[in-house]
């Protein structure tokens, strides 16, 4: 027979955990809302800067720009964007499982740049090559925060430190769905005029010229891709954490219900046994 004191202690512990997970759920919901608004609000700007780069890319000689030059891929770099913290359900597990499936046997030969502590820990734990790490973006992000990362990648590509740079993160689709996504960051490819773009070459008089404008705009394009990807990852993180904490709170409520049911059964059994003992003693006294 279970001890009533032990059951009461378990119920108290479960309720305390429920209060913690409920508070974490509310905090994550607030952060999730802000992260979602920021990620969704910047998508139109990211689309427009791509349209502009694509329009200019059709007017220049791509071989003149080192960031657009394709070469034999011998050295790869991968930027992995992850949360700084855990407690976000299976998001980190799904991210790293997909990353390992994507890189395959090349994992040990790739140079990794991590954004987030969880990615850093995963790379080091699996004996990958960590070229650089960046953390703390979950506390707030501006476009200027990604400039050191872009400079590291652009300079490394120009100097031949790596021949290809890929970006890997969790893309935010909705509160319940986040998708592992891989992008080729460098060399910049696919600069084609987007379908439906109504602007014609005759609409613009470019000064000082398409080449100069393209050269000036290219770093901002890279910054925007990285900035938008981090925003998507942050929205995914807070959404996954809110859902995970809600599930935890619901599970604790089920546990408390079962413990209360068990407690009442044990208490009823104890009372029944006591009544039976009293009745037996009364019967024995009457017979005597």
């Amino acid at each position: 027979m279970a001890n009533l004191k032990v059951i009461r202690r378990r119920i108290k512990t479960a309720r305390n955990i429920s209060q913690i997970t409920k508070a974490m759920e509310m905090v994550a919901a607030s952060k999730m809302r802000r992260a979602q608004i920021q990620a969704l609000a910047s998508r139109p700007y990211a689309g427009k800067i791509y349209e502009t780069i694509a329009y200019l890319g059709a007017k220049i000689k791509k071989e003149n720009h080192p960031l657009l030059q394709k070469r034999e891929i011998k050295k790869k770099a991968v930027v992995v964007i992850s949360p700084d913290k855990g407690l976000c359900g299976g998001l980190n597990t799904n991210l790293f499982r997909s990353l390992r499936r994507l890189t395959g046997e090349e994992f040990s030969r790739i140079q990794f740049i991590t954004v987030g502590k969880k990615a850093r820990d995963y790379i080091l734990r699996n004996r990958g090559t960590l070229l650089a790490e960046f953390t703390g973006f979950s506390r707030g992000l501006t476009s200027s925060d990604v400039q050191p990362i872009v400079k590291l990648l652009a300079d490394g590509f120009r100097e031949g430190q790596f021949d290809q740079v890929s970006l890997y993160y969790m893309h935010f689709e909705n509160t319940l769905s986040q998708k592992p996504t891989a992008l080729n960051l460098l060399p910049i490819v696919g600069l084609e005029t987007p379908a439906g773009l109504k602007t014609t070459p005759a609409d613009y008089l470019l000064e000082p010229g398409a080449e100069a404008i393209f050269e000036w705009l290219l770093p901002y394009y890279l910054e925007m891709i990285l900035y938008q990807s981090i925003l998507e990852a942050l929205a995914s993180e807070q959404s996954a954490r809110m859902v995970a904490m809600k599930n935890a709170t619901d599970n604790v409520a089920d546990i408390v219900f079962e413990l209360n049911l068990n407690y009442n059964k044990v208490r009823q059994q104890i009372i029944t046994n006591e009544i039976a003992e009293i009745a037996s003693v009364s019967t024995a006294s009457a017979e005597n």
Side-chain angles (χ1 to χ4, degrees), residues 87-112:
L87 296 177
C88 47
L91 183 133
N92 286 322
T93 300
N94 294 336
L95 175 68
F96 299 138
R97 183 185 293 123
S98 299
L99 173 65
R100 199 59 186 259
R101 186 168 56 247
L102 176 73
T103 56
E105 297 179 354
E106 294 183 329
F107 183 88
S108 60
R109 299 189 296 273
I110 292 174
Q111 299 180 74
F112 289 97

Side-chain angles (χ1 to χ4, degrees), residues 14-232:
R15 285 175 174 166
N16 290 339
I17 293 174
S18 178
Q19 292 177 353
I20 294 172
T21 56
K22 184 64 177 178
M24 293 179 69
E25 176 191 346
M26 295 174 66
V27 171
S30 176
K31 291 182 178 180
M32 176 194 71
R33 181 62 179 163
R34 291 198 298 269
Q36 288 181 0
I37 290 174
Q38 196 174 10
L40 295 176
S42 64
R43 284 181 182 178
Y45 179 78
K48 284 299 180 182
I49 197 171
Y50 173 79
E51 285 184 5
T52 305
I53 282 287
Y55 174 78
L56 293 172
K59 298 173 134 325
I60 64 169
K61 295 180 180 179
K62 296 181 176 58
E63 60 271 12
N64 295 338
H65 296 270
L67 298 184
L68 276 64
Q69 294 176 0
K70 297 181 181 180
R71 51 183 183 245
E72 184 181 356
I73 300 174
K74 296 180 180 179
K75 293 172 286 187
K76 291 184 179 181
V78 175
V79 181
V80 186
I81 304 174
S82 77
D84 282 331
K85 301 178 182 179
L87 296 177
C88 47
L91 183 133
N92 286 322
T93 300
N94 294 336
L95 175 68
F96 299 138
R97 183 185 293 123
S98 299
L99 173 65
R100 199 59 186 259
R101 186 168 56 247
L102 176 73
T103 56
E105 297 179 354
E106 294 183 329
F107 183 88
S108 60
R109 299 189 296 273
I110 292 174
Q111 299 180 74
F112 289 97
I113 297 94
T114 61
V115 179
K117 293 180 181 178
K118 289 298 179 180
R120 176 200 63 189
D121 295 343
Y122 177 82
I123 299 303
L124 294 177
R125 187 167 58 249
N126 289 273
R127 299 184 179 182
T129 302
L130 184 62
L131 180 63
E133 61 171 291
F134 299 87
T135 59
F137 290 158
S138 59
R139 295 191 294 269
L141 178 68
T142 63
S143 58
S144 61
D145 292 331
V146 304
Q147 290 176 359
I149 309 176
V150 171
K151 187 177 187 306
L152 172 68
L153 299 175
D155 291 348
F157 186 80
R158 288 192 187 98
E159 296 167 3
Q161 188 175 354
F162 24 77
D163 305 308
Q164 184 187 66
V165 180
S166 300
L167 182 63
Y168 202 75
Y169 67 100
M170 294 297 282
H171 180 77
F172 173 76
E173 294 187 341
N174 55 59
T175 303
L176 300 177
S177 177
Q178 302 84 37
K179 181 181 178 182
T181 302
L183 295 176
N184 288 325
L185 195 60
L186 293 172
I188 299 172
V189 296
L191 290 182
E192 301 171 354
T193 303
L197 188 63
K198 297 180 181 179
T199 303
T200 62
D203 290 337
Y204 294 115
L205 177 62
L206 300 174
E207 292 289 346
E211 291 275 354
I213 297 174
F214 185 85
E215 186 71 28
W216 176 82
L217 194 59
L218 208 53
Y220 294 100
Y221 170 70
L222 294 175
E223 287 176 16
M224 193 59 208
I225 290 179
L226 193 56
Y227 175 74
Q228 182 64 33
S229 299
I230 296 176
L231 288 181
E232 299 282 349

